[in-house]
Every structure is written in structure tokens, then in C-alpha cells.
Amino acid sequence: MNATKVSHESTGTRAWPCVRRVRGVLVPGTLCAALLLAACDNGGGGSSDDGRSARKDTTCDGKIDGTVHLRVWFHAGPSGELRTLKAQVREFNKGQRQVRVELVTLPENRPYTDLVLSAAASGDLPDLLDFDGPNLYSYAWSGKLKPIDSCVPDGVRDDLLPSIRRQGSYAGRLWGVGTFDSGLGLCVRTSALKEAGVRLPAGPDDAWTATELTGILLELREQGYQAPLDLRLVDASPGEEWNTYGFAPAVWSAGGDLIDPRSGGTADGHVNGPESVKALTTMRSWVEEGLVDLVEDDRAFVTGRSAISWCGHWVYGEFDKAFPGDVTIVPLPDFGSGTVTGMGSWQWGIPADATDGDAAWRFLSYLLEPAQVHRMTVANGAIPATNSALKLSTKYAPGGAERLFLEQLRGGFARPRPQTPAYPTITDAFSRAFAKIMLDGAPVQSTLDAAAERIDEDLAAHDGYPTNGP
């Protein structure tokens, strides 16, 4: 996988099962981390606090020699994203001749993460790669990414939202950067809540408590909503990332966590601690009381079955179209320690074998231009990653319909998913536990105990993932 010097012009969901290439065939493995370890014994970047501190970051030196042919991979997300990126590639190639970008079309019948891990195992990663944010830590730890501190000018770094910088950092270094971020909230039918005499929170500091939300749901049922809360459980199958992204904030809000936030050395006492158990017990009680929509589709809110939807930024446009002017976004409920929202989305990184980081950064810096960030976020409905691009959208201005998402990201109410190479195991274990509790009625404590045991087994197998790599 090299950026090849050329003289001709180039053209330009989440799942966690791992794969490995054996004689050209993809076969399943047991853990993402295990695959990465098997494929990645060459180290990588690090921080000033670990054993790699002597290794200078030479990813970018400010020079591009000749014409560079750049292979780029992009996940098959919403169709608007891919169409937009294809147009950006065409225009980038047309606007200059030094870096020729080839956007590689990947098979759509395989999960994107499978393809990345297979390419990592066979040494065939592209020159620029996008990946779901929490995967960054295992990729960086196992030596499959280059740190990009030397590529990102101070002005660009300062323009990024703090959540973007935080999501892209590991062991004191910057490894990835995204052009958009994400957010969670409760989308509510404004008219239904007013009719029920329910107050609308003014902002993150004014969120409903979990107890208050329970009372609101009971009142809405009296108003005729048989299942007033949509948790989008159609996306909550065991192993789905929605379970962790969407509902780890409830655990954090209760004062719990998925892993020890100080050392990352254990999950026991955290994912199965009393605060975490309390949060999921409360949520399970909503299901038991018949307050949660269990119809297996994603139309509870738009069809009027539910008046409140626990949702991400990507559905607001659909909701607003269904009920123009009658949808308000309010913070997720406070389970005891304040409201918390998820954050983080797809990021770009430079694989370790890329021979010309400056060429990769040339294209990435184009994607981070305000007009290009705005263009992508118009296509996918996400939150622009830069302050300069945010100025181009009225949605996030004071009083704007989606201003809450920005206030949460800037105001310290957003938390990244655990920033550890163990994340693939953490999210799979928590996601499966959540699904068993919410969909199958499994006992909360023992189910979370099993999740903690599984996570700790992975941590022990990898010596706690020391920051100087495998």
C-alpha cells in the first residue's frame, strides 16, 4: 500500500465481526483486537508519555515530490455522503495536478470494518482511510495508523470543535480528524407536550430527570399515546453500535461507566457497578410499564405512535418533515449526574504504510475547508466539525433548530466512547447486554456482570493494552 508516483490522471453500519485473509479468502475471527495483534506487530506512533516518545512524527514534512497517486477508502454511508465525496474528489483532481485521488469503490455486501481489518491483515490498506471514530484507538495502538500532529497546522487544529480533537486523540497524539460530528437528544412533539402541560427544557443544564421523564411518559399515555417513547429499538439487535452510542450516555449520566475511566484497567465495578445497574433498571422499567414502542420498524415517531424519540442528529430532518415546526430537540434525561450525550463519528486517518502523508493531508485539508465541510453536512445532516463551517449554517446559530447539538459538544456535555484499544470488545459486550436487558428482559445485574467479565478477559489477554503498543 503505497502512494505511487504517476503521470496520468486518476478518477476519482456498524458491525464488529473480524476477518482475516487466508490465501485470499476472508474468514471470521473471534475478536477485532486479536486480528489486529496478529497483523500488527510493527508498533507505531505514541505520546510523549510512553515508550515511543523518542520516535519523531515524520508523517508530514511539508513537501510533495512529483505527482502522487492517492488511494482513498470511504465507508458506504448514507447515499448523500458518497455522492458528495465523489463530487469533491472530481473537483479536487480538476483543481490541481500534484495529487491525484482515486476513490476506491468497496463491495457493499460486507461490513466496512471487516474490509478494513482484512486489508490491515494483508498489508493492503489505502493511503487515506476513514473509520468510525472509536476504532481509532485499536488502529493507533496496533501500529496501523500514523500520527498526524505534524500534518495539521495550528490554525486548522484551533478551528476544529473540541470534541473532534478529543475523538481523534490517543496517548497524547492526534491520529484522526473528521469533517463532521454527531449528537443525541430527545426529539419531542412540541404540541403534544404543551397539551399535556409539560415544560420544555431550556438547555443541557435544564434537562428532565429520569424520574420526571417517567411521569411525562405516563401523562402522554393518558393523552392517547399507547407507547409514548421511541428508543429506536429496531436498531438495538445484539452487537449493534446503536446500543453503545445511544445508551452509554444513560450510564454516564447516572455516574457509571463502561470501564475504569482513570486507568482503563478493568470493567468490573463500572459497567456492572450500582450506577450503571440503576440506569438500565430505570430504562427497563419503561419497557415493563409499556411506555416504549416495541413495533419492529423505525417509524414510531413519524407515524405518531410515540411523542418522544431518543434519537441522533441524523433523523431530525425526517422528523421535521413529518411534523413541520412541531419538533423540538431537548437533552437526554438526567439520571443523577447531569445530562450526557454521545459524540464522535467517522474520521480520516493516514495508514502507517502510506509513503506520502503530505499528499494525504493535501486532500484532507481540502475536505476541511469551510465550504466543503458545509457541503458534506448538508448532505448527511451531521454537525459541522469546524467553527468556520458552522457559521455557514443557520441550524446551529442561536435559536436555530439544532443549536442544542452544538451547545452539548462545546459545553462539555458530550463524552466519547471509551478511548481504549479494547473498545471493540467493550462495545460488543455492552451492546449484547443492553439488548438482552431491554429486548429479552434479562436480569440487569447478572447480565452486566457477564459483560464485565468478558471485557476484563480481553484486557487481561492484552496486558491492559499498554500505550507503547503490542
Side-chain angles (χ1 to χ4, degrees), residues 394-403 407:
T394 59
K395 295 191 299 184
Y396 305 102
E402 298 184 57
R403 175 72 177 186
E407 290 177 349

Side-chain angles (χ1 to χ4, degrees), residues 1-25:
M1 187 234 51
N2 293 316
T4 308
K5 310 294 182 180
V6 296
S7 58
H8 62 277
E9 182 167 336
S10 302
T11 59
T13 49
R14 301 173 200 238
W16 293 95
C18 294
V19 296
R20 188 163 185 179
R21 187 177 297 276
V22 179
R23 295 182 181 178
V25 179

Side-chain angles (χ1 to χ4, degrees), residues 92-179:
F92 176 80
N93 284 339
K94 184 177 180 181
Q96 51 79 57
R97 306 279 311 172
Q98 195 169 24
V99 179
R100 317 308 297 157
V101 173
E102 176 192 1
L103 187 61
V104 179
T105 300
L106 300 172
E108 295 186 6
N109 61 346
R110 292 202 61 87
Y112 180 77
T113 302
D114 283 13
L115 297 170
V116 172
L117 292 169
S118 175
S122 60
D124 195 32
L125 286 171
D127 305 296
L128 185 63
L129 171 74
D130 92 318
F131 45 80
D132 199 5
N135 290 350
L136 179 148
Y137 317 116
S138 59
Y139 295 163
W141 178 80
S142 59
K144 283 305 173 186
L145 289 179
K146 290 184 177 184
I148 60 172
D149 302 272
S150 62
C151 304
V152 186
D154 289 344
V156 174
R157 189 187 296 255
D158 292 343
D159 194 32
L160 294 170
L161 290 178
S163 56
I164 291 289
R165 297 195 298 269
R166 187 177 181 188
Q167 179 75 81
S169 298
Y170 172 69
R173 305 295 293 273
L174 187 68
W175 302 85
V177 63
T179 62

Side-chain angles (χ1 to χ4, degrees), residues 8 14 68 120 157 184 205 213 295 310 358 397 399 419 451 455:
H8 62 277
R14 301 173 200 238
V68 178
R157 189 187 296 255
L184 288 166
D205 290 316
L213 177 56
V295 177
W310 188 301
D358 290 279
Q419 294 179 280
I455 295 167

